[in-house]
Amino acid sequence: MEHLISSLAGSLRAYQGGFLQLLISPAQTGGQLALLDFTLPQGSEPPRHRHTREDETFYVLEGQVRFEIGDAVVVAEAGQAVFAPRGLDHLFAIQSPQARLLTLITPGEFSGYFLEFSTPIAQAPAQLRAPQGPPLPEVLAQMLASAAGYGVQFA
């Protein structure tokens, strides 16, 4: 039964000026999926990219988020879900000061990228703040190499 119920104790992680929780790990699902809960500030979004191995489904819990998936543009608010299939360029841009998103990754291996570039924290920060400027060159190189290892390509 342990693999059926996720324990969130100690799972809060700082990421891109916000934070995340891995709610369901690929280890719990035989690699079939991962479910993450992101709370991010405006300005912390990824550049346009495409996944060659997985689909992403986003469910907006709080805030407003603009998605570009292929040629489609969708603005989603709390209670709305958006699907980004593998093979299509996509990005999202937070339109509100911050947003909270559930992200379902299928299959789930790519969740490892977020764990690699986040750090454990004891509690959610009182204030979110997007990273200022681009990552340091050595960090950017590490991020790009890791993303490529997961089959992610940047447009």
Side-chain angles (χ1 to χ4, degrees), residues 31-128:
Q32 293 183 54
L33 65 89
L35 182 64
L36 295 103
D37 182 344
F38 288 92
T39 301
L40 298 170
Q42 187 176 44
S44 64
E45 307 89 348
R48 181 173 289 278
H49 62 284
R50 104 183 50 77
H51 299 267
T52 61
R53 301 179 192 160
E54 59 276 318
D55 302 318
E56 286 183 302
T57 304
F58 303 93
Y59 182 76
V60 180
L61 293 168
E62 298 171 7
Q64 186 180 66
V65 184
R66 181 179 186 269
F67 293 88
E68 294 179 19
I69 301 168
D71 294 331
V73 176
V74 176
V75 177
E77 297 182 351
Q80 295 181 310
V82 176
F83 178 64
R86 71 190 77 187
L88 279 183
D89 289 355
H90 65 280
L91 62 78
F92 67 86
I94 298 170
Q95 304 297 290
S96 47
Q98 68 184 45
R100 184 172 171 216
L101 304 163
L102 285 181
T103 303
L104 176 67
I105 302 170
T106 50
E109 181 185 356
F110 183 61
S111 64
Y113 176 88
F114 299 107
L115 299 179
E116 184 178 345
F117 292 100
S118 63
T119 56
I121 54 176
Q123 63 185 20
Q127 187 174 42
L128 304 185

